[in-house]
């Protein structure tokens, strides 16, 4: 019973603070002004109530705040997915050149996702997080899997561009993308450092 009463009071307070009540009250006050001016006559209660209702109807709807998301939680999940990708990559057979490219690519992802200040810079950039997430969860495993599937067919129906060449190009493009993400994050951090230096210099001149 006590819980029900508290919930009822909370709903009443929420309505009193709502835009509908505030707008309706403003219009109701205007109705009282008309009453005091003698414009409402004997029907002033209906005028006040009607203006209050009209104000409540035309008030903008209450804004529902979006749920908060912590990008650090996304990185935690992504680290787990990267660990599974690492295990998959270690288990598959690849040509030597593609293996070297993949190892460099996975090294870049590992450095970006390692807990610390680099991961904090990454978490602050949703586009960078999306690029790394898409590569880890989709692009890299699909490229490796497509190589193995295509190589099987190529043994039966030889000809055309080799699966090894396709895999090398795909991993090379992903490596360049990872390098761009890393360079962009480094530039963000460098600008932040420059801003802080300028702030300290300005503070020193004004002191």
């Amino acid at each position: 019973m006590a819980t029900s009463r508290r919930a009822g009071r909370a709903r009443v307070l929420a309505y009193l603070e709502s835009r509908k009540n505030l707008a309706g009250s403003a219009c109701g006050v205007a109705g009282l002004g008309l009453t005091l001016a003698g414009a409402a006559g004997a029907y002033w209660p209906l005028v006040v109530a009607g203006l209050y209702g009209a104000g409540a109807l035309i008030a903008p709807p209450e804004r529902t705040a979006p749920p908060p998301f912590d990008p650090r939680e996304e990185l935690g999940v992504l680290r787990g997915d990267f660990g599974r990708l690492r295990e998959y990559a270690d288990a598959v057979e690849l040509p030597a050149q593609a293996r070297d490219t993949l190892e460099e690519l996975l090294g870049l992802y590992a450095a970006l996702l390692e807990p610390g200040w680099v991961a904090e810079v990454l978490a602050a950039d949703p586009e960078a997080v999306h690029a790394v997430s898409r590569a880890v969860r989709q692009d890299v495993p699909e490229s490796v899997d497509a190589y193995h599937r295509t190589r099987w067919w190529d043994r039966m129906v030889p000809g055309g561009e080799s699966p090894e060449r396709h895999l090398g190009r795909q991993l090379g493009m992903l490596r360049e993308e990872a390098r761009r993400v890393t360079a962009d994050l480094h530039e963000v951090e460098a600008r932040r450092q420059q801003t802080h230096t300028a702030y300290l210099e300005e503070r020193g001149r004004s002191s």
Side-chain angles (χ1 to χ4, degrees):
M1 184 66 69
T3 302
S4 177
R5 286 198 296 268
R6 283 196 297 269
R9 286 197 297 268
R11 285 193 293 269
V12 171
L13 289 174
Y15 180 77
L16 291 176
E17 297 173 353
S18 68
R19 296 179 182 180
K20 288 184 176 297
N21 181 58
L22 294 177
S25 297
C27 291
V29 169
L32 289 176
L34 293 175
T35 299
L36 294 175
Y43 299 101
W44 67 268
L46 295 177
V47 172
V48 173
L51 288 174
Y52 176 89
L57 287 175
I58 64 174
E62 294 295 319
R63 174 180 171 271
T64 301
F69 292 107
D70 188 346
R72 291 171 297 183
E73 294 180 0
E74 167 64 14
L75 287 189
V77 176
L78 185 53
R79 287 188 191 102
D81 293 339
F82 175 72
R84 286 188 286 275
L85 174 63
R86 174 83 267 183
E87 294 173 358
Y88 169 70
D90 290 341
V92 295
E93 179 185 349
L94 295 175
Q97 185 174 359
R99 169 64 64 184
D100 291 342
T101 304
L102 179 59
E103 288 300 323
E104 182 181 352
L105 176 61
L106 295 180
L108 289 170
Y109 294 149
L112 289 170
L113 292 172
E114 183 178 359
W117 68 268
V118 175
E120 291 177 1
V121 177
L122 172 64
D125 189 334
E127 291 186 4
V129 173
H130 175 71
V132 175
S133 173
R134 180 185 57 201
V136 167
R137 292 166 172 162
Q138 177 179 337
D139 296 335
V140 174
E142 285 188 1
S143 295
V144 174
D145 186 57
Y147 160 73
H148 281 282
R149 288 186 285 108
T150 308
R151 186 180 63 167
W152 186 87
W153 284 108
D154 194 56
R155 289 172 179 171
M156 299 182 63
V157 187
E161 195 170 11
S162 69
E164 291 79 6
R165 181 175 176 82
H166 277 294
L167 176 63
R169 289 170 58 188
Q170 291 167 8
L171 294 178
M173 287 186 289
L174 290 171
R175 179 181 58 187
E176 291 306 310
E177 180 186 57
R179 287 174 175 174
R180 286 195 301 271
V181 169
T182 303
D184 290 344
L185 294 178
H186 176 268
E187 184 177 349
V188 168
E189 190 62 20
R191 286 200 302 267
R192 183 181 302 172
Q193 185 180 32
Q194 292 168 1
T195 301
H196 188 60
T197 300
Y199 160 74
L200 292 176
E201 290 174 345
E202 180 64 26
R203 192 175 72 180
R205 285 193 294 267
S206 61
S207 61

